[in-house]
Amino acid sequence: MLKIAGRRLIHIGRTYILEPGAILIFYSLNTTFFRNLADEERRINGKDVFLVGENGQGKTNFLEALYFAAFGSSFRGSRDTELARTGEKNYSVRVKIGPAGGDNADPLCREVHIKYEKDKKTVLLDGKRVEDRRDLLSVVPCVVFCHEDMEFVAGSPERRRWFFDQSLSLCDGLYLEDLRNYRKILKSRNAVLREGGGRVSAKVLDALEPQMLSYGLKLMEQREKAVELFSNLFGPLYREVSGIDGITIRYIPSWKFRTTDAGAAFLAERREADSSAGVSLSGPHRDRYVFYRGTGEFAAKASTGQRRLLALLLRAAQARRFSGITGKNPVLLLDDVLLEMDGEKRRRFLAVMPAYDQAFYTFLPEEPYSHYTRNSGGDRGAETLVYCVENGTLREKDETGG
């Protein structure tokens, strides 16, 4: 066993790696033709990184680039083709990452490089091609807090399913594999249903449905367990920040059976209706997650402010669940979310912020961002970097913001 700057390392062959549960943070970001960001490398290895600027200057684009490096996709729902700077078709995002407290010279530094060229995306980790983006999830997990999160509360059931699927996938690669397999089988079953009846279709469905049931029942079991834990985390958080108690999250599965035999009989009975519709009308792809207070639904009657707080604390619970299960803290990306709360709710939210080893915040210039440092008295310390963002360019401030 070896220690570097207090970090325990494990010797494997000729290589030292961080022990399981070790924390990785962003050291630097280099972009080329990505959104409106200038083509340059930025040092970002602070514990807290503040991006200060007017709207439309590139603050959110900066967070998007970090998220893109971590997940291989945009948190804004943008397609890969939409991330290039106006007038360009190709772009790239490159980040250096490593243990907290280090820099680009750290021997344990790693690099993620994602290139989009000729309508094709290539993901490289330490110079080697990553064939499955699932392998990125464990490198530098991020949790983003943004305006689009309102869809998890006020949007379609599909968006809530997406949120909880992401939460489970961050902690469990097997869940993600089961989810992918279920979706493949579902896609095949829907294709057969659209073709209509007949012996051939019946035989194909007979072969597909046991697989659909197998993966679907696994997803249901994991979702049920996860939501119980999630709700136990979420309810107290919401009470502490809002003063409203009794909020729970319930999982409502589309399938009411729990065995493959019962499922086989159900799908056989539903086959005619599914064929008429041309799609599978039931299954985990139709599951619902509902916010309750007592015995009544809460989100449907909640005010806009209450819904925004629901969305914000969903992300906080997501980060806490990840830390509790993996022993790691995700990098936090907070896009103007503090601006939406009054002073008292901001104070309460900061008091329940999930644990982190690195966080990025966006602020408007008139906001008192220096008050949000973790140092007492509001003075920012050596672990805080403050950048002014203008026209996609970052300029580091060397004086206290206020």
Side-chain angles (χ1 to χ4, degrees), residues 58-74:
K59 304 189 303 293
T60 301
N61 293 342
F62 191 93
L63 298 188
E64 185 179 28
L66 296 176
Y67 188 94
F68 187 71
F71 288 90
S73 60
S74 166

Side-chain angles (χ1 to χ4, degrees), residues 8-72:
R8 288 171 42 181
L9 306 178
I10 300 173
H11 192 199
I12 300 180
R14 298 170 57 186
T15 305
Y16 283 100
I17 65 170
L18 280 167
E19 65 174 333
I23 304 304
L24 297 181
I25 67 169
F26 290 105
Y27 289 170
S28 63
L29 169 67
N30 193 319
T31 58
T32 304
F33 299 146
F34 185 89
R35 296 289 195 182
N36 78 325
L37 298 181
D39 300 337
E40 59 185 14
E41 185 173 59
R42 305 91 172 166
R43 178 179 72 90
I44 53 174
N45 60 331
K47 183 181 183 69
D48 295 284
V49 182
F50 293 175
L51 306 172
V52 184
E54 299 290 352
N55 291 327
Q57 298 304 304
K59 304 189 303 293
T60 301
N61 293 342
F62 191 93
L63 298 188
E64 185 179 28
L66 296 176
Y67 188 94
F68 187 71
F71 288 90

Side-chain angles (χ1 to χ4, degrees), residues 245-261:
D245 62 1
I247 303 298
T248 60
I249 305 173
R250 298 184 191 178
Y251 168 57
I252 304 177
S254 170
W255 287 342
K256 305 307 178 184
F257 54 82
R258 293 304 175 97
T259 67
T260 53
D261 288 343

Side-chain angles (χ1 to χ4, degrees), residues 157-158 161-162 165 175 178-179 182-183 186 212-221 223 251-255 257 267 280-289:
E158 180 181 9
R161 284 194 299 272
W162 183 94
D165 283 339
Y175 177 86
D178 288 339
L179 181 63
Y182 174 81
R183 287 172 174 171
L186 175 65
M212 183 179 181
L213 288 168
S214 176
Y215 291 121
L217 290 172
K218 289 180 183 178
L219 295 179
M220 289 168 58
E221 181 180 3
R223 288 175 176 179
Y251 168 57
I252 304 177
S254 170
W255 287 342
F257 54 82
L267 291 181
S280 301
L281 296 173
S282 66
H285 60 289
R286 295 293 182 96
D287 287 351
R288 298 171 58 226
Y289 298 87

Side-chain angles (χ1 to χ4, degrees), residues 190-374:
N190 286 344
V192 175
L193 292 172
R194 286 193 294 271
E195 292 175 359
R199 290 184 179 179
V200 174
S201 295
K203 288 184 177 180
V204 175
L205 291 176
D206 288 341
L208 289 175
E209 286 171 359
Q211 301 176 66
M212 183 179 181
L213 288 168
S214 176
Y215 291 121
L217 290 172
K218 289 180 183 178
L219 295 179
M220 289 168 58
E221 181 180 3
Q222 292 303 309
R223 288 175 176 179
E224 186 172 49
K225 292 178 180 177
V227 167
E228 181 179 1
L229 173 60
F230 210 95
S231 185
N232 290 338
L233 286 171
F234 180 81
L237 284 176
Y238 197 82
R239 179 182 65 246
E240 189 164 348
V241 178
S242 71
I244 299 175
D245 62 1
I247 303 298
T248 60
I249 305 173
R250 298 184 191 178
Y251 168 57
I252 304 177
S254 170
W255 287 342
K256 305 307 178 184
F257 54 82
R258 293 304 175 97
T259 67
T260 53
D261 288 343
F266 176 83
L267 291 181
E269 180 182 336
R270 296 292 303 172
R271 193 176 285 182
E272 183 176 348
D274 288 353
S275 295
S276 298
V279 294
S280 301
L281 296 173
S282 66
H285 60 289
R286 295 293 182 96
D287 287 351
R288 298 171 58 226
Y289 298 87
V290 181
F291 297 92
Y292 275 86
R293 187 182 187 199
T295 58
E297 290 194 28
F298 178 69
K301 299 179 181 179
S303 68
T304 300
Q306 289 171 333
R307 290 180 178 182
R308 283 176 176 165
L309 190 58
L310 284 171
L312 184 65
L313 293 176
L314 273 180
R315 287 297 196 181
Q318 183 184 54
R320 288 193 173 204
R321 178 182 183 274
F322 175 84
S323 297
I325 292 176
T326 67
K328 301 179 181 180
N329 295 328
V331 173
L332 305 183
L333 309 175
L334 297 98
D335 187 23
D336 279 347
V337 293
L338 296 178
L339 182 64
E340 298 178 348
M341 293 184 285
D342 60 41
E344 178 60 19
K345 282 192 172 61
R346 289 190 194 191
R347 185 192 65 77
R348 292 181 181 179
F349 172 73
L350 290 172
V352 301
M353 274 271 287
Y356 66 90
D357 291 271
Q358 187 175 43
F360 294 79
Y361 306 77
T362 64
F363 294 104
L364 293 171
E366 59 269 22
E367 291 186 79
Y369 52 85
S370 63
H371 295 174
Y372 304 129
T373 63
R374 297 173 71 87

Side-chain angles (χ1 to χ4, degrees), residues 26 63-76 80 83 93 95 112 114 121 123 130 132-145 162-163 165-171 176 180 315 318 322 330-333:
F26 290 105
L63 298 188
E64 185 179 28
L66 296 176
Y67 188 94
F68 187 71
F71 288 90
S73 60
S74 166
F75 66 77
R76 299 153 109 175
D80 291 340
L83 302 180
V93 173
V95 294
V112 175
I114 303 181
K121 180 164 58 183
V123 180
V130 175
D132 191 334
R133 281 185 290 166
R134 179 182 60 181
D135 297 333
L136 280 180
L137 296 182
S138 61
V139 179
V140 57
C142 293
V143 171
V144 63
F145 299 72
W162 183 94
F163 171 80
D165 283 339
Q166 185 192 59
S167 298
L168 269 72
S169 298
L170 278 171
C171 306
L176 179 58
R180 287 176 169 180
R315 287 297 196 181
Q318 183 184 54
F322 175 84
V331 173
L332 305 183
L333 309 175

